[in-house]
Amino acid sequence: MWAGVLPAVTTKFTENDELDHAEMERCFSLQIDAGCDGLIVCGSLGEGPMLHVDEKLAVLKTAQGVAGNRPVLLTINEAATRDACSLAKAAAKAGANGLMVVPSPIYHTNPEETVAALKAVAAAGDLPIMIYSNRLAYRVDVTVPVMAELASDSRFVAVKESSDDIRRSTEIINAFGDRFDLLTGVDNLAYEALCVGAVGWVAGLVTAFPRETVAIYQLMQQGRREEALAIYRWFRPLLDLDVSTYLVQNIKFVEALAIGSNERVRAPRLPLAGERRQAAEKVVRDAMATRPEMPAF
């Protein structure tokens, strides 16, 4: 159901810590104008766990107004299954095209609990679901056996593979063929994942460099791997900023430098400072100084 480049967009705030819908409209439009294939809101990068339910639905509405006929997914990352089901129902009522579902980010579920929670959300929302498998960030591993338990439910259509083990992508394809749309969720493994069969990229640095991200994906689809690899090698130091405890601060800082946005984050996060900020700024400045020309398609 889903393929291509799907940005995990950032949530923008005003100086008073309210939602900045005008800035989100501008930034989301940059993604669509660059050729991205949809939007995913309120995920890890979108500071979903820091947002109230009404704020999540408001961000969803803003994204829908920009995306046109491209899909917009709302991330379900509530701690309690009851709350996750409630939000899934609200997302369906609000017209979300689908859900990206995180197993409980607070309690580390065992496999039986993981299956039960995911099935409950699917039943509540009755929408297509992308399973977000990220054992590093959330300590819950959606393994191949867990996916096998979910495969009989047609609402589970895709997997965002973020285990940080590129072997997992091949294991999923070997186990299920094309039963699940496989998307990579690790920016600095994207080229590798696309090489072994991923059909999409849930991207982070795309929010600051959308054309470069889309170019890599489109070149790969056309079999122009050497051209894609050249851009990817240039991009790698930036992509590494996504794989960090500070990914939200990192990417919002990059957005501030690359697209003139702001780096406001919701507390307890604070913007980058000190040596961490200096190191990130050098990465961004170096990349912008050597930015490659984009190929023709």
Side-chain angles (χ1 to χ4, degrees), residues 101-119:
V101 183
V102 181
S104 173
I106 302 299
Y107 172 68
H108 307 143
T109 53
N110 65 32
E112 292 76 18
E113 292 168 329
T114 301
V115 169
L118 290 170
K119 284 186 174 181

Side-chain angles (χ1 to χ4, degrees), residues 109-240:
T109 53
N110 65 32
E112 292 76 18
E113 292 168 329
T114 301
V115 169
L118 290 170
K119 284 186 174 181
V121 174
D126 197 26
L127 288 171
I129 287 177
M130 179 188 298
I131 305 162
Y132 184 10
S133 175
N134 188 336
R135 63 186 179 185
L136 296 182
Y138 299 113
R139 296 195 182 181
V140 175
D141 194 5
V142 184
T143 61
V144 168
V146 170
M147 292 177 200
E149 293 290 319
L150 303 171
S152 60
D153 188 332
S154 61
R155 288 172 291 211
F156 293 103
V157 301
V159 178
K160 177 185 175 184
E161 212 314 280
S162 299
S163 71
D164 204 39
D165 183 351
I166 193 61
R167 293 170 294 191
R168 178 69 64 82
S169 295
T170 298
E171 290 165 3
I172 293 171
I173 293 170
N174 283 351
F176 303 108
D178 61 0
R179 164 64 187 83
F180 296 106
D181 290 336
L182 177 66
L183 296 92
T184 181
V186 182
D187 267 4
N188 63 5
L189 278 177
Y191 179 87
E192 293 85 346
L194 293 169
C195 280
V196 299
V199 300
W201 180 359
V202 178
L205 267 298
V206 65
T207 63
F209 292 91
R211 298 195 181 280
E212 288 83 354
T213 308
V214 170
I216 291 171
Y217 180 81
Q218 291 183 350
L219 288 168
M220 292 295 289
Q221 295 305 109
Q222 295 178 16
R224 297 161 65 180
R225 292 193 174 190
E226 290 300 318
E227 293 173 83
L229 183 57
I231 300 171
Y232 183 69
R233 285 173 174 162
W234 162 84
F235 212 175
R236 258 299 304 274
L238 286 164
L239 298 177
D240 290 346

Side-chain angles (χ1 to χ4, degrees), residues 215-280:
I216 291 171
Y217 180 81
Q218 291 183 350
L219 288 168
M220 292 295 289
Q221 295 305 109
Q222 295 178 16
R224 297 161 65 180
R225 292 193 174 190
E226 290 300 318
E227 293 173 83
L229 183 57
I231 300 171
Y232 183 69
R233 285 173 174 162
W234 162 84
F235 212 175
R236 258 299 304 274
L238 286 164
L239 298 177
D240 290 346
L241 295 173
D242 178 63
V243 187
S244 166
T245 303
Y246 299 94
L247 82 159
V248 175
Q249 296 97 317
N250 285 344
I251 292 178
K252 284 194 166 182
F253 180 56
V254 179
E255 287 180 311
L257 295 177
I259 62 171
S261 190
N262 65 72
E263 52 182 312
R264 299 184 193 109
V265 289
R266 178 158 283 179
R269 287 188 175 93
L270 295 172
L272 293 181
E275 292 182 0
R276 186 172 286 112
R277 184 183 184 88
Q278 294 171 8

Side-chain angles (χ1 to χ4, degrees), residues 37-94:
D37 298 282
L39 300 171
I40 301 177
V41 300
C42 305
S44 306
L45 181 55
E47 297 173 79
M50 307 298 176
L51 303 177
H52 297 301
V53 169
D54 57 345
E55 289 180 314
K56 294 183 182 187
L57 295 173
V59 174
L60 172 66
K61 183 177 180 180
T62 296
Q64 289 170 324
V66 171
N69 61 356
R70 303 183 194 193
V72 180
L73 282 63
L74 179 68
T75 306
I76 305 293
N77 45 20
E78 312 331 283
T81 300
R82 178 196 64 178
D83 297 334
C85 291
S86 177
L87 181 56
K89 291 178 182 178
K93 185 176 180 180

